[in-house]
Amino acid sequence: MAKTIIELKRADLTLGSAAASVHVLKGIDLTIRAGESVGIVGPSGSGKSTLLMVLAGLERLDSGEINISDTPLHALSEDQVADFRGRNIGIVFQSFHLIANMSALENVAVPLELANVQNPFEIARRELKAVGLGDRLNHYPGQLSGGEQQRVAIARALAPSPALLIADEPTGNLDADTGRQIADLLFSKQAERGMTLLLVTHDASLARRCMRQIRVRSGQIEGDDAIVRNEAAIA
Ligand SMILES: Nc1ncnc2c1ncn2[C@@H]1O[C@H](COP(=O)(O)OP(=O)(O)OP(=O)(O)O)[C@@H](O)[C@H]1O
Ligand SMILES: [Mg+2]
């Protein structure tokens, strides 16, 4: 069986202060194996994005443990977490999060340059070609369609060759056809590179394309379809 890449133990997090505080993650236990594709679904406000932010090291737990590739993120400093994230985790957002005054090429190359990676522009050019944007290198985000902007964001996420790709509603701002093409791209990159893919989606057909579906409700995991499938396989 494949190695464990993500392990959450009793993960607990409350966000906001005093009167506006929300107990968002309520003691979540979760294990994900290298190479899995996992769709995280659940009602609005159930804690899906917060869970992804914790897994990306962008939000810290109040208590509990988070281990990624055997690295205990809960025990690292903010700087160490940021460094780990830069080398191991790619992140894609619903609203692309590109820098408006940088070209597609710069959006991919500059983070590599900041991380002291050798030949950042060469790598960026290669990654943009690999997502079908070889002829859009010098376009700015405002000159690209939504689907093209998401391709740039995917190229940026993949450029450091992360073991883990995390996507929060990656097709949420796209029409159905474009969304399908973006999903095809994510799954084909996952297969090609043997990455682990974790995505949050409200699109049931997209979630069904994942090997495993996790249902979150009110800060807890209420269903995990891989477990059902495994039990069926054993029976
Ligand atoms: N910084 C914050 N301060 C206070 N409450 C917060 C904060 N961030 C999120 N929350 C609350 O935590 C809950 C979970 O939010 P989260 O964004 O994780 O939900 P979600 O499942 O991703 O929802 P959606 O499907 O609408 O994107 C919500 O009730 C939200 O209001
Ligand atoms: Mg969300």
mmCIF file with all atom_site columns, all heavy atoms in Angstrom, residues 43-60:
data_model
loop_
_atom_site.group_PDB
_atom_site.id
_atom_site.type_symbol
_atom_site.label_atom_id
_atom_site.label_alt_id
_atom_site.label_comp_id
_atom_site.label_asym_id
_atom_site.label_entity_id
_atom_site.label_seq_id
_atom_site.pdbx_PDB_ins_code
_atom_site.Cartn_x
_atom_site.Cartn_y
_atom_site.Cartn_z
_atom_site.occupancy
_atom_site.B_iso_or_equiv
_atom_site.pdbx_formal_charge
_atom_site.auth_seq_id
_atom_site.auth_comp_id
_atom_site.auth_asym_id
_atom_site.auth_atom_id
_atom_site.pdbx_PDB_model_num
ATOM 1   N N   . PRO A 1 43 ? -21.601 21.039 2.649  1.00 0.00 ? 43 PRO A N   1
ATOM 2   C CA  . PRO A 1 43 ? -22.347 22.288 2.530  1.00 0.00 ? 43 PRO A CA  1
ATOM 3   C C   . PRO A 1 43 ? -21.457 23.515 2.701  1.00 0.00 ? 43 PRO A C   1
ATOM 4   O O   . PRO A 1 43 ? -20.366 23.426 3.281  1.00 0.00 ? 43 PRO A O   1
ATOM 5   C CB  . PRO A 1 43 ? -23.364 22.215 3.679  1.00 0.00 ? 43 PRO A CB  1
ATOM 6   C CG  . PRO A 1 43 ? -23.263 20.872 4.276  1.00 0.00 ? 43 PRO A CG  1
ATOM 7   C CD  . PRO A 1 43 ? -22.023 20.213 3.784  1.00 0.00 ? 43 PRO A CD  1
ATOM 8   N N   . SER A 1 44 ? -21.941 24.644 2.201  1.00 0.00 ? 44 SER A N   1
ATOM 9   C CA  . SER A 1 44 ? -21.252 25.911 2.378  1.00 0.00 ? 44 SER A CA  1
ATOM 10  C C   . SER A 1 44 ? -21.092 26.193 3.869  1.00 0.00 ? 44 SER A C   1
ATOM 11  O O   . SER A 1 44 ? -22.027 25.992 4.639  1.00 0.00 ? 44 SER A O   1
ATOM 12  C CB  . SER A 1 44 ? -22.098 26.996 1.706  1.00 0.00 ? 44 SER A CB  1
ATOM 13  O OG  . SER A 1 44 ? -21.447 28.208 1.781  1.00 0.00 ? 44 SER A OG  1
ATOM 14  N N   . GLY A 1 45 ? -19.894 26.608 4.255  1.00 0.00 ? 45 GLY A N   1
ATOM 15  C CA  . GLY A 1 45 ? -19.637 26.940 5.657  1.00 0.00 ? 45 GLY A CA  1
ATOM 16  C C   . GLY A 1 45 ? -19.263 25.744 6.515  1.00 0.00 ? 45 GLY A C   1
ATOM 17  O O   . GLY A 1 45 ? -19.070 25.874 7.723  1.00 0.00 ? 45 GLY A O   1
ATOM 18  N N   . SER A 1 46 ? -19.130 24.559 5.913  1.00 0.00 ? 46 SER A N   1
ATOM 19  C CA  . SER A 1 46 ? -18.846 23.357 6.710  1.00 0.00 ? 46 SER A CA  1
ATOM 20  C C   . SER A 1 46 ? -17.374 23.250 7.120  1.00 0.00 ? 46 SER A C   1
ATOM 21  O O   . SER A 1 46 ? -17.026 22.438 7.971  1.00 0.00 ? 46 SER A O   1
ATOM 22  C CB  . SER A 1 46 ? -19.266 22.098 5.939  1.00 0.00 ? 46 SER A CB  1
ATOM 23  O OG  . SER A 1 46 ? -18.623 22.044 4.683  1.00 0.00 ? 46 SER A OG  1
ATOM 24  N N   . GLY A 1 47 ? -16.496 24.051 6.476  1.00 0.00 ? 47 GLY A N   1
ATOM 25  C CA  . GLY A 1 47 ? -15.084 24.044 6.878  1.00 0.00 ? 47 GLY A CA  1
ATOM 26  C C   . GLY A 1 47 ? -14.136 23.478 5.831  1.00 0.00 ? 47 GLY A C   1
ATOM 27  O O   . GLY A 1 47 ? -12.952 23.251 6.116  1.00 0.00 ? 47 GLY A O   1
ATOM 28  N N   . LYS A 1 48 ? -14.610 23.291 4.589  1.00 0.00 ? 48 LYS A N   1
ATOM 29  C CA  . LYS A 1 48 ? -13.780 22.677 3.540  1.00 0.00 ? 48 LYS A CA  1
ATOM 30  C C   . LYS A 1 48 ? -12.551 23.528 3.212  1.00 0.00 ? 48 LYS A C   1
ATOM 31  O O   . LYS A 1 48 ? -11.431 23.016 3.155  1.00 0.00 ? 48 LYS A O   1
ATOM 32  C CB  . LYS A 1 48 ? -14.613 22.460 2.262  1.00 0.00 ? 48 LYS A CB  1
ATOM 33  C CG  . LYS A 1 48 ? -15.873 21.662 2.463  1.00 0.00 ? 48 LYS A CG  1
ATOM 34  C CD  . LYS A 1 48 ? -16.673 21.511 1.180  1.00 0.00 ? 48 LYS A CD  1
ATOM 35  C CE  . LYS A 1 48 ? -17.114 22.819 0.546  1.00 0.00 ? 48 LYS A CE  1
ATOM 36  N NZ  . LYS A 1 48 ? -18.099 23.575 1.360  1.00 0.00 ? 48 LYS A NZ  1
ATOM 37  N N   . SER A 1 49 ? -12.778 24.820 2.961  1.00 0.00 ? 49 SER A N   1
ATOM 38  C CA  . SER A 1 49 ? -11.647 25.687 2.601  1.00 0.00 ? 49 SER A CA  1
ATOM 39  C C   . SER A 1 49 ? -10.675 25.800 3.760  1.00 0.00 ? 49 SER A C   1
ATOM 40  O O   . SER A 1 49 ? -9.454  25.802 3.560  1.00 0.00 ? 49 SER A O   1
ATOM 41  C CB  . SER A 1 49 ? -12.136 27.087 2.216  1.00 0.00 ? 49 SER A CB  1
ATOM 42  O OG  . SER A 1 49 ? -12.857 27.028 1.011  1.00 0.00 ? 49 SER A OG  1
ATOM 43  N N   . THR A 1 50 ? -11.219 25.869 4.977  1.00 0.00 ? 50 THR A N   1
ATOM 44  C CA  . THR A 1 50 ? -10.345 25.961 6.152  1.00 0.00 ? 50 THR A CA  1
ATOM 45  C C   . THR A 1 50 ? -9.488  24.706 6.270  1.00 0.00 ? 50 THR A C   1
ATOM 46  O O   . THR A 1 50 ? -8.290  24.774 6.552  1.00 0.00 ? 50 THR A O   1
ATOM 47  C CB  . THR A 1 50 ? -11.187 26.173 7.421  1.00 0.00 ? 50 THR A CB  1
ATOM 48  O OG1 . THR A 1 50 ? -12.053 27.293 7.209  1.00 0.00 ? 50 THR A OG1 1
ATOM 49  C CG2 . THR A 1 50 ? -10.312 26.413 8.629  1.00 0.00 ? 50 THR A CG2 1
ATOM 50  N N   . LEU A 1 51 ? -10.111 23.552 6.015  1.00 0.00 ? 51 LEU A N   1
ATOM 51  C CA  . LEU A 1 51 ? -9.366  22.291 6.055  1.00 0.00 ? 51 LEU A CA  1
ATOM 52  C C   . LEU A 1 51 ? -8.224  22.325 5.032  1.00 0.00 ? 51 LEU A C   1
ATOM 53  O O   . LEU A 1 51 ? -7.085  21.955 5.335  1.00 0.00 ? 51 LEU A O   1
ATOM 54  C CB  . LEU A 1 51 ? -10.324 21.125 5.788  1.00 0.00 ? 51 LEU A CB  1
ATOM 55  C CG  . LEU A 1 51 ? -9.717  19.726 5.726  1.00 0.00 ? 51 LEU A CG  1
ATOM 56  C CD1 . LEU A 1 51 ? -9.045  19.365 7.053  1.00 0.00 ? 51 LEU A CD1 1
ATOM 57  C CD2 . LEU A 1 51 ? -10.795 18.686 5.383  1.00 0.00 ? 51 LEU A CD2 1
ATOM 58  N N   . LEU A 1 52 ? -8.515  22.798 3.817  1.00 0.00 ? 52 LEU A N   1
ATOM 59  C CA  . LEU A 1 52 ? -7.454  22.895 2.798  1.00 0.00 ? 52 LEU A CA  1
ATOM 60  C C   . LEU A 1 52 ? -6.361  23.855 3.232  1.00 0.00 ? 52 LEU A C   1
ATOM 61  O O   . LEU A 1 52 ? -5.171  23.601 3.015  1.00 0.00 ? 52 LEU A O   1
ATOM 62  C CB  . LEU A 1 52 ? -8.022  23.366 1.452  1.00 0.00 ? 52 LEU A CB  1
ATOM 63  C CG  . LEU A 1 52 ? -8.740  22.379 0.566  1.00 0.00 ? 52 LEU A CG  1
ATOM 64  C CD1 . LEU A 1 52 ? -8.819  22.923 -0.856 1.00 0.00 ? 52 LEU A CD1 1
ATOM 65  C CD2 . LEU A 1 52 ? -8.060  21.023 0.544  1.00 0.00 ? 52 LEU A CD2 1
ATOM 66  N N   . MET A 1 53 ? -6.762  24.978 3.837  1.00 0.00 ? 53 MET A N   1
ATOM 67  C CA  . MET A 1 53 ? -5.760  25.962 4.276  1.00 0.00 ? 53 MET A CA  1
ATOM 68  C C   . MET A 1 53 ? -4.838  25.364 5.339  1.00 0.00 ? 53 MET A C   1
ATOM 69  O O   . MET A 1 53 ? -3.641  25.634 5.358  1.00 0.00 ? 53 MET A O   1
ATOM 70  C CB  . MET A 1 53 ? -6.448  27.228 4.816  1.00 0.00 ? 53 MET A CB  1
ATOM 71  C CG  . MET A 1 53 ? -7.139  28.075 3.768  1.00 0.00 ? 53 MET A CG  1
ATOM 72  S SD  . MET A 1 53 ? -6.042  28.629 2.428  1.00 0.00 ? 53 MET A SD  1
ATOM 73  C CE  . MET A 1 53 ? -6.389  27.436 1.160  1.00 0.00 ? 53 MET A CE  1
ATOM 74  N N   . VAL A 1 54 ? -5.419  24.533 6.201  1.00 0.00 ? 54 VAL A N   1
ATOM 75  C CA  . VAL A 1 54 ? -4.595  23.855 7.212  1.00 0.00 ? 54 VAL A CA  1
ATOM 76  C C   . VAL A 1 54 ? -3.625  22.892 6.515  1.00 0.00 ? 54 VAL A C   1
ATOM 77  O O   . VAL A 1 54 ? -2.429  22.847 6.816  1.00 0.00 ? 54 VAL A O   1
ATOM 78  C CB  . VAL A 1 54 ? -5.491  23.108 8.226  1.00 0.00 ? 54 VAL A CB  1
ATOM 79  C CG1 . VAL A 1 54 ? -4.682  22.093 9.027  1.00 0.00 ? 54 VAL A CG1 1
ATOM 80  C CG2 . VAL A 1 54 ? -6.173  24.108 9.158  1.00 0.00 ? 54 VAL A CG2 1
ATOM 81  N N   . LEU A 1 55 ? -4.155  22.144 5.530  1.00 0.00 ? 55 LEU A N   1
ATOM 82  C CA  . LEU A 1 55 ? -3.318  21.159 4.833  1.00 0.00 ? 55 LEU A CA  1
ATOM 83  C C   . LEU A 1 55 ? -2.223  21.842 4.010  1.00 0.00 ? 55 LEU A C   1
ATOM 84  O O   . LEU A 1 55 ? -1.172  21.264 3.763  1.00 0.00 ? 55 LEU A O   1
ATOM 85  C CB  . LEU A 1 55 ? -4.183  20.260 3.943  1.00 0.00 ? 55 LEU A CB  1
ATOM 86  C CG  . LEU A 1 55 ? -5.169  19.376 4.709  1.00 0.00 ? 55 LEU A CG  1
ATOM 87  C CD1 . LEU A 1 55 ? -6.108  18.659 3.750  1.00 0.00 ? 55 LEU A CD1 1
ATOM 88  C CD2 . LEU A 1 55 ? -4.428  18.374 5.590  1.00 0.00 ? 55 LEU A CD2 1
ATOM 89  N N   . ALA A 1 56 ? -2.484  23.086 3.588  1.00 0.00 ? 56 ALA A N   1
ATOM 90  C CA  . ALA A 1 56 ? -1.489  23.833 2.817  1.00 0.00 ? 56 ALA A CA  1
ATOM 91  C C   . ALA A 1 56 ? -0.524  24.572 3.736  1.00 0.00 ? 56 ALA A C   1
ATOM 92  O O   . ALA A 1 56 ? 0.390   25.246 3.254  1.00 0.00 ? 56 ALA A O   1
ATOM 93  C CB  . ALA A 1 56 ? -2.191  24.835 1.902  1.00 0.00 ? 56 ALA A CB  1
ATOM 94  N N   . GLY A 1 57 ? -0.734  24.486 5.048  1.00 0.00 ? 57 GLY A N   1
ATOM 95  C CA  . GLY A 1 57 ? 0.131   25.205 5.979  1.00 0.00 ? 57 GLY A CA  1
ATOM 96  C C   . GLY A 1 57 ? -0.124  26.699 5.972  1.00 0.00 ? 57 GLY A C   1
ATOM 97  O O   . GLY A 1 57 ? 0.710   27.484 6.404  1.00 0.00 ? 57 GLY A O   1
ATOM 98  N N   . LEU A 1 58 ? -1.290  27.122 5.473  1.00 0.00 ? 58 LEU A N   1
ATOM 99  C CA  . LEU A 1 58 ? -1.620  28.556 5.447  1.00 0.00 ? 58 LEU A CA  1
ATOM 100 C C   . LEU A 1 58 ? -2.427  28.971 6.668  1.00 0.00 ? 58 LEU A C   1
ATOM 101 O O   . LEU A 1 58 ? -2.635  30.146 6.921  1.00 0.00 ? 58 LEU A O   1
ATOM 102 C CB  . LEU A 1 58 ? -2.413  28.893 4.167  1.00 0.00 ? 58 LEU A CB  1
ATOM 103 C CG  . LEU A 1 58 ? -1.601  28.845 2.887  1.00 0.00 ? 58 LEU A CG  1
ATOM 104 C CD1 . LEU A 1 58 ? -2.497  28.842 1.655  1.00 0.00 ? 58 LEU A CD1 1
ATOM 105 C CD2 . LEU A 1 58 ? -0.630  30.025 2.818  1.00 0.00 ? 58 LEU A CD2 1
ATOM 106 N N   . GLU A 1 59 ? -2.908  27.993 7.392  1.00 0.00 ? 59 GLU A N   1
ATOM 107 C CA  . GLU A 1 59 ? -3.662  28.250 8.623  1.00 0.00 ? 59 GLU A CA  1
ATOM 108 C C   . GLU A 1 59 ? -3.129  27.266 9.660  1.00 0.00 ? 59 GLU A C   1
ATOM 109 O O   . GLU A 1 59 ? -2.936  26.090 9.341  1.00 0.00 ? 59 GLU A O   1
ATOM 110 C CB  . GLU A 1 59 ? -5.145  27.984 8.317  1.00 0.00 ? 59 GLU A CB  1
ATOM 111 C CG  . GLU A 1 59 ? -6.134  28.512 9.304  1.00 0.00 ? 59 GLU A CG  1
ATOM 112 C CD  . GLU A 1 59 ? -6.333  30.024 9.232  1.00 0.00 ? 59 GLU A CD  1
ATOM 113 O OE1 . GLU A 1 59 ? -6.945  30.503 8.260  1.00 0.00 ? 59 GLU A OE1 1
ATOM 114 O OE2 . GLU A 1 59 ? -5.880  30.701 10.165 1.00 0.00 ? 59 GLU A OE2 1
ATOM 115 N N   . ARG A 1 60 ? -2.864  27.753 10.876 1.00 0.00 ? 60 ARG A N   1
ATOM 116 C CA  . ARG A 1 60 ? -2.308  26.869 11.906 1.00 0.00 ? 60 ARG A CA  1
ATOM 117 C C   . ARG A 1 60 ? -3.406  26.318 12.800 1.00 0.00 ? 60 ARG A C   1
ATOM 118 O O   . ARG A 1 60 ? -4.393  27.007 13.079 1.00 0.00 ? 60 ARG A O   1
ATOM 119 C CB  . ARG A 1 60 ? -1.299  27.630 12.773 1.00 0.00 ? 60 ARG A CB  1
ATOM 120 C CG  . ARG A 1 60 ? -0.045  27.988 12.018 1.00 0.00 ? 60 ARG A CG  1
ATOM 121 C CD  . ARG A 1 60 ? 0.941   28.671 12.934 1.00 0.00 ? 60 ARG A CD  1
ATOM 122 N NE  . ARG A 1 60 ? 1.738   27.702 13.671 1.00 0.00 ? 60 ARG A NE  1
ATOM 123 C CZ  . ARG A 1 60 ? 2.888   27.206 13.226 1.00 0.00 ? 60 ARG A CZ  1
ATOM 124 N NH1 . ARG A 1 60 ? 3.366   27.569 12.060 1.00 0.00 ? 60 ARG A NH1 1
ATOM 125 N NH2 . ARG A 1 60 ? 3.563   26.341 13.933 1.00 0.00 ? 60 ARG A NH2 1
#
